[in-house]
Amino acid sequence: MIELVGMKTSELRDFAVQSGEKNFRGTQLARWIYDKNISQIDEMTDLSLAFREKLKEQNASLSLLEEIRSLEDGEKTRKFLFKLNNKKGKEENVESVLLPYPERVTACISTQVGCAIGCRFCATGETGFVRDLSAGEIVDQVRFMNRHSDRRITNVVLMGMGEPLLNYEATLKAIDILNEEMGIGMRGITLSTCGITPKIRELAKRKLQLTLAVSLHAPSDEMRDSLVPINRKYPLAELKEAMKEYAELTGRRVTIEYVMLRDVNDTVVMARRLADYLRGLHCQINLIPCHEAANDFLPSDSETMHRFAEVLKEIGFPVTTRAERGLKIAAACGQLRRRVENA
Ligand code: SF4
């Protein structure tokens, strides 16, 4: 199968020439794929019938995933479970979420099938790593949701299943396509990582204007070793250095993600420790209520979250509390897939 989705215009132009066509046919392909978000070869009505037939003979594909289930809540948050069209026998699924807001439309997408990191509060981590997605499979989630949204997607968060920095090349190519081919501004793209420090440094050198979000969740190595096991390999001191380098080289503020787990990491003492750890880093802190799939953990109550936020604000950190949309539809990563697989 030839994945046309995931090729840049220049690659599509080369592909057209290799297929015996003029190179401008590649530009036409790019327009159909990334502007029109089409999924069928015959929709490309300005290509000759002969070229379309040739594409079919070459098994060229414009659709790398298939919806097998979707759920919507009262706020129009829509979660999709996709089957990947990879013809490799075993069914492989990923999840994406479409979040329409008055001023923007956000797509939350996956970069891997499963995840090797094994965070204790995460449904995806429980099932282990299966494989990396290709750049085309990452981009196709956004194309699919564009077809199912009455407004075009303006923002993308790489915060679904998987650790994007462990699928670095495909993720970076997908970001390039989202930005250059699909017109999504770099500042509208957020890459969320659990803290793969060598890759944070590598990314920093590219000086992209995207937002780096780091899933911190704990203010001490002891606690983080247990919640986010990759911390044993890349402990907090090293992570802070990498985040500082990122902020300095890109001029961008790092977002610190902190999931609030009742009686685990949500006390005033923890808030002060978090502030100590983050001192000197250009960052903003995002407190996230934990969700129903958080294994043995319970969500912090709103009063505790408020108190935690106030401690950080008084010390001078910008703090937001993310309203966790989609809780009713299992929109946290890995939940829908697990629900379907367990059904
Ligand atoms: S929270 Fe993210 S990094 Fe951790 S296991 Fe889940 S998908 Fe992987």
Side-chain angles (χ1 to χ4, degrees):
M1 181 170 79
I2 298 171
E3 291 187 10
L4 295 179
V5 183
M7 288 190 196
K8 298 197 66 185
T9 299
S10 56
E11 293 170 301
L12 288 165
R13 285 168 71 89
D14 291 345
F15 169 78
V17 172
Q18 282 156 19
S19 304
E21 298 286 329
K22 296 267 192 276
N23 58 10
F24 76 88
R25 295 285 177 211
T27 308
Q28 286 176 304
L29 282 172
R31 192 172 57 83
W32 284 109
I33 295 169
Y34 299 120
D35 282 355
K36 307 279 183 206
N37 297 297
I38 55 149
S39 61
Q40 301 297 325
I41 285 171
D42 282 329
E43 289 177 78
M44 299 190 284
T45 46
D46 59 0
L47 299 185
S48 68
L49 196 57
F51 186 31
R52 281 186 263 155
E53 287 307 315
K54 204 184 295 173
L55 289 173
K56 289 180 202 166
E57 278 162 27
Q58 289 172 307
N59 202 12
S61 176
L62 288 172
S63 178
L64 307 179
L65 31 90
E66 204 179 297
E67 178 186 334
I68 53 176
R69 185 177 288 194
S70 74
L71 295 172
E72 187 171 327
D73 70 3
E75 295 173 298
K76 291 216 159 80
T77 298
R78 195 158 165 207
K79 176 155 190 163
F80 298 92
L81 181 69
F82 296 117
K83 174 165 106 56
L84 298 168
N85 293 336
N86 55 21
K87 316 251 187 296
K88 280 191 195 133
K90 191 175 183 306
E91 184 168 312
E92 293 169 337
N93 301 328
V94 290
E95 302 175 354
S96 314
V97 187
L98 181 67
L99 301 118
Y101 298 91
E103 72 294 355
R104 66 183 192 278
V105 181
T106 299
C108 175
I109 59 172
S110 298
T111 52
Q112 296 180 315
V113 183
C115 182
I117 303 296
C119 300
R120 269 180 61 206
F121 47 83
C122 171
T124 300
E126 263 178 44
T127 52
F129 173 73
V130 179
R131 74 165 172 92
D132 288 329
L133 297 189
S134 65
E137 288 168 330
I138 298 170
V139 168
D140 214 25
Q141 297 167 63
V142 181
R143 285 183 356 102
F144 181 96
M145 288 190 279
N146 260 335
R147 291 199 292 277
H148 291 78
S149 168
D150 47 13
R151 286 179 294 144
R152 211 172 160 86
I153 288 163
T154 56
N155 293 60
V156 171
V157 292
L158 298 140
M159 223 178 247
M161 293 167 63
E163 164 52 60
L165 293 185
L166 289 182
N167 184 15
Y168 189 79
E169 293 305 329
T171 296
L172 267 282
K173 184 166 188 198
I175 288 171
D176 195 19
I177 290 172
L178 292 170
N179 177 239
E180 285 192 5
E181 306 281 350
M182 297 182 73
I184 296 172
M186 264 304 170
R187 287 177 178 238
I189 298 174
T190 298
L191 185 152
S192 173
T193 176
C194 63
I196 312 294
T197 56
K199 293 295 177 188
I200 292 176
R201 291 200 154 98
E202 205 174 321
L203 184 66
K205 291 195 183 83
R206 296 176 82 131
K207 299 189 182 174
L208 301 176
Q209 288 301 295
L210 55 77
T211 300
L212 179 74
V214 174
S215 300
L216 197 72
H217 309 318
S220 70
D221 278 322
E222 191 188 1
M223 183 182 290
R224 197 162 190 267
D225 282 354
S226 141
L227 292 177
V228 185
I230 198 76
N231 194 69
R232 293 178 206 142
K233 190 165 181 191
Y234 306 117
L236 284 174
E238 185 180 331
L239 178 57
K240 184 169 178 185
E241 286 311 306
M243 290 192 288
K244 276 178 94 169
E245 198 171 315
Y246 186 88
E248 276 158 23
L249 283 176
T250 62
R252 302 279 292 155
R253 190 162 70 170
V254 175
T255 297
I256 301 296
E257 304 280 1
Y258 194 96
V259 66
M260 297 289 288
L261 306 169
R262 188 189 299 175
D263 300 330
V264 176
N265 65 356
D266 65 349
T267 62
V268 167
V269 173
M270 294 295 164
R272 294 210 177 101
R273 271 199 208 161
L274 179 62
D276 284 344
Y277 172 68
L278 294 175
R279 191 156 288 130
L281 175 70
H282 187 39
C283 68
Q284 110 135 39
I285 302 164
N286 193 11
L287 302 180
I288 310 163
C290 95
H291 49 72
E292 56 164 83
N295 298 335
D296 306 333
F297 300 103
L298 294 170
S300 306
D301 58 48
S302 52
E303 201 180 307
T304 305
M305 284 187 74
H306 179 74
R307 196 171 51 227
F308 195 93
E310 285 309 305
V311 171
L312 293 165
K313 281 182 195 166
E314 273 166 27
I315 296 170
F317 288 98
V319 182
T320 52
T321 302
R322 192 205 294 170
E324 195 74 333
R325 278 184 55 177
L327 284 177
K328 292 191 206 78
I329 56 163
C333 72
Q335 283 180 290
L336 182 59
R337 184 178 79 145
R338 189 170 65 170
R339 196 172 282 183
V340 168
E341 285 172 357
N342 291 345

